[in-house]
């Protein structure tokens, strides 16, 4: 129906909190550490937990939409069978067929609306889960900054070269796993609007 967006690419877009957690010192004496945000989401328990829960929510959404999709498929096939061999003039002249086709079109529109709502709710759920992940990650980053005496944290994707001693991704993952192995992921709902 609608694919699960890559949790990694969604995280890359949603991770908007500043990574420089302490004031930047002057160029001399600045201690910089580097993290790999994508790796943190992919390998941390919390990131894997989010991915599993989002996939479960998507599966539930698809299960909810399946009966309507199957009914539309069956109704469409029935209409095709009825109209096979009919001329356009004969189809327009058949009042019962016209009513059936109009009802089918309304059902198809409702299904497409419901599918779009589900896709929007899934995206909203992902954003909320990533915000929760970020809330859990920031204290861990602060702790690593303090332990390493760092002034700046950079993301590995924006750095040309990093030596292994500067990359603290493994430390961040270990501390995040200890502090927050799971993230509360709740299916978000679109606000209901009265039908006109």
């Amino acid at each position: 129906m609608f694919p699960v967006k890559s949790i990694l690419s969604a995280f890359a877009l949603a991770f908007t909190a500043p990574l420089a957690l302490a004031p930047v010192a002057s160029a001399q004496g600045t201690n910089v550490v580097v993290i790999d945000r994508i790796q943190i989401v992919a390998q941390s328990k919390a990131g894997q937990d989010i991915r599993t829960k989002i996939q479960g929510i998507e599966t539930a959404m698809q299960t909810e939409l399946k009966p309507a999709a199957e009914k539309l498929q069956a109704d469409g096939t029935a209409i095709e069978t009825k109209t096979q061999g009919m001329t356009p003039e004969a189809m327009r002249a058949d009042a019962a067929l016209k009513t059936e086709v109009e009802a089918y079109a309304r059902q198809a529109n409702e299904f497409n609306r419901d599918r779009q709502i589900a896709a929007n709710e899934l995206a909203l759920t992902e954003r909320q889960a990533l915000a929760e992940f970020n809330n859990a990650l920031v204290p861990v980053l602060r702790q690593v900054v303090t332990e390493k005496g760092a002034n700046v944290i950079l993301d590995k994707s924006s750095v040309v070269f990093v030596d292994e001693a500067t990359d603290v991704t493994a430390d961040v993952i270990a501390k995040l796993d200890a502090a927050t192995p799971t993230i509360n992921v709740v299916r978000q709902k679109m606000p209901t609007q009265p039908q006109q």
Side-chain angles (χ1 to χ4, degrees), residues 173-190:
I173 292 171
K175 290 180 186 322
L176 183 60
D177 284 353
T180 311
T182 64
I183 297 290
N184 185 27
V185 179
V186 177
R187 179 178 174 177
Q188 302 297 301
K189 291 286 196 175
M190 299 298 291

Side-chain angles (χ1 to χ4, degrees), residues 37-94:
R37 295 179 296 175
I38 303 300
Q39 186 179 350
I40 291 169
V41 175
Q43 295 179 4
S44 69
K45 291 177 182 177
Q48 292 170 2
D49 182 55
I50 288 173
R51 194 167 36 258
T52 300
K53 289 175 179 173
I54 292 292
Q55 288 171 345
I57 290 169
E58 182 189 23
T59 299
M61 290 176 167
Q62 289 175 342
T63 300
E64 291 168 9
L65 292 170
K66 188 176 180 179
E70 289 174 347
K71 183 176 183 328
L72 275 176
Q73 176 92 27
D75 291 351
T77 301
I79 290 171
E80 284 180 19
T81 302
K82 286 181 186 178
T83 59
Q84 193 162 3
M86 289 179 75
T87 64
E89 294 80 24
M91 286 186 224
R92 284 191 292 271
D94 188 334

Side-chain angles (χ1 to χ4, degrees), residues 80-153:
E80 284 180 19
T81 302
K82 286 181 186 178
T83 59
Q84 193 162 3
M86 289 179 75
T87 64
E89 294 80 24
M91 286 186 224
R92 284 191 292 271
D94 188 334
L97 179 61
K98 181 180 177 186
T99 302
E100 187 177 348
V101 168
E102 288 171 352
Y104 177 79
R106 279 192 304 276
Q107 290 171 0
N109 285 337
E110 288 173 13
F111 175 74
N112 286 332
R113 185 198 71 227
D114 291 345
R115 186 171 56 179
Q116 185 60 51
I117 288 170
N120 291 343
E121 288 179 351
L122 185 64
L124 190 61
T125 301
E126 288 175 335
R127 281 194 302 273
Q128 182 61 38
L130 292 172
E132 293 295 326
F133 182 90
N134 190 43
N135 289 341
L137 181 59
V138 169
V140 171
L141 294 177
R142 289 181 198 274
Q143 182 181 3
V144 170
V145 163
T146 301
E147 289 174 2
K148 300 292 182 182
N151 305 97
V152 178
I153 296 178

